[in-house]
Amino acid sequence: MAVGTTHHTIVSTQSHLWNCKNSRLDETTTKVGLVSIRSSSPGNRKLGLVCSSGSKSSIIDPVQLPSSGKGYHSPKRSSESSLILIRHGESMWNEKNLFTGCVDVPLTPTGVEEAIEAGKRICNIPIDVIFTSAMIRAQMTAMLAMMQHRRKKVPIITHKESEQPHSWSQIYSEHTRKQYVPVITAWQLNERMYGELQGLNKQETAERFGKEQVHEWRRSYEMPPPNGESLAMCADRAVTYFKDQVVPQLIAGKLVMVVAHANSLRSIIMHLDKLTSQEVISLELSTGIPMLYIFKEGEFLRRGSPAGPSEASVYAYTKVKVFSIFISPSFQ
């Protein structure tokens, strides 16, 4: 198939994205370009991204989304925004190798450091709204990450669970309202509920029930642990919430960060990257590593993970399946 490409620089064309003069993109002399890829089929055109540093460059394929009425296209406007996904930092039960699930466990000192490092990686990316789970480890990660942001806006949890908390938490200063980022918490983004495995040591559970049985509980898409959720059940609530609450913010041009858990984020990435149920069970997310997508004209463009201050390249990306990007010894 004959393929032609036309390059258009996009770094400075959208005010929500990076201004090279005020960001690390300028410091690392990395170039980001938009690529229009034409195939031999008439009218068939796709957009991709070119990221280059020095003499190396790579084209990043877009994730195609449906263009029908059921898709993400807005009939009123063409929006461009960004989506950051972060798994919370190491929790105290991650450290102890316990099944955590929906038990509300805080971060370890290592988890705090991971959250701070995640914040440094995204400190130059504007953020308008944050979604987290209802769990403290995700909320701690979001708050610590935002403390590293160059805009120094204050993340504030919105309380809309009932009329009184919502009324009592109103901000009456217009200046102050411009200096904060709303944080929306949702139980639908919680970790997969592990049922009767919650609180059990993973190694001891494998010795008790057998490695194959525990592996099936943890890795299969359809089979839940005793009185718990399967990954399919977790995906149903997490992806539904993402479509109903997060996508409308992106369509409106908002720059969104979602801080959640291994399984709720795996579910969302499965949806964005069109992974099969077999591919998603091999997808592992490291704690505290941001994953960046660009949302433009109804499409999600995966851009990899923004690099830390000491790293040479701006984006880490591989054209192998997405699950090769994330490597984690403590999956949960």
Side-chain angles (χ1 to χ4, degrees), residues 45-287:
R45 181 185 295 269
K46 295 182 180 180
L47 297 178
L49 293 172
V50 169
C51 298
S52 62
S53 178
S55 60
K56 297 182 179 180
S57 64
S58 61
I59 296 179
I60 298 179
D61 297 328
V63 177
Q64 299 292 328
L65 294 179
S67 57
S68 65
K70 296 181 180 180
Y72 296 133
H73 288 275
S74 170
K76 296 183 180 180
R77 60 174 294 179
S78 174
S79 61
E80 181 172 330
S81 53
S82 64
L83 170 67
I84 301 169
L85 305 177
I86 304 179
R87 182 190 173 190
H88 64 80
E90 181 191 65
S91 75
M92 294 183 72
W93 277 16
N94 289 143
E95 182 184 45
K96 294 178 181 295
N97 200 32
L98 305 180
F99 285 101
T100 310
C102 287
V103 181
D104 209 359
V105 179
L107 301 180
T108 61
T110 297
V112 170
E113 292 176 1
E114 289 175 338
I116 292 172
E117 177 60 26
K120 292 177 180 178
R121 287 172 176 260
I122 62 170
C123 67
N124 290 312
I125 305 176
I127 297 172
D128 295 322
V129 60
I130 300 169
F131 290 87
T132 79
S133 74
M135 321 217 79
I136 190 65
R137 56 191 184 271
Q139 295 174 23
M140 288 178 69
T141 300
M143 298 298 186
L144 289 166
M146 284 302 295
M147 289 174 66
Q148 316 308 312
H149 204 275
R150 66 180 178 86
R151 293 195 172 184
K152 302 302 180 184
K153 289 190 175 182
V154 179
I156 298 179
I157 294 177
T158 60
H159 291 282
K160 296 184 178 181
E161 58 270 22
S162 63
E163 183 177 349
Q164 184 167 310
H166 177 61
S167 176
W168 285 12
S169 61
Q170 292 297 304
I171 299 172
Y172 294 95
S173 166
E174 181 66 26
H175 174 74
T176 303
R177 277 199 295 268
K178 293 179 180 179
Q179 301 302 316
Y180 91 101
V181 177
V183 180
I184 301 168
T185 63
W187 71 267
Q188 293 91 336
L189 297 175
N190 283 5
E191 178 58 288
R192 173 184 170 193
M193 201 274 280
Y194 270 95
E196 295 177 15
L197 299 185
Q198 290 183 171
L200 300 183
N201 180 277
K202 295 175 185 177
Q203 180 61 37
E204 293 174 358
T205 304
E207 293 172 358
R208 176 181 175 186
F209 294 100
K211 292 183 179 180
E212 291 186 3
Q213 178 63 76
V214 173
H215 183 270
E216 190 169 12
W217 283 334
R218 295 181 64 189
R219 302 291 189 172
S220 69
Y221 186 70
E222 297 287 349
M223 177 174 286
N227 294 316
E229 282 185 308
S230 65
L231 179 56
M233 295 163 69
C234 177
D236 183 61
R237 60 172 165 84
V239 175
T240 298
Y241 182 85
F242 181 83
K243 291 178 179 179
D244 292 346
Q245 302 298 325
V246 179
V247 169
Q249 297 280 350
L250 294 167
I251 290 175
K254 298 293 185 180
L255 307 163
V256 179
M257 181 168 76
V258 177
V259 184
H261 306 264
N263 285 291
S264 53
L265 290 177
R266 288 167 75 218
S267 302
I268 292 170
I269 292 172
M270 177 185 181
H271 169 68
L272 298 181
D273 289 357
K274 309 297 184 185
L275 301 180
T276 67
S277 59
Q278 288 301 309
E279 289 171 333
V280 75
I281 63 178
S282 300
L283 170 62
E284 297 188 357
L285 282 70
S286 296
T287 52

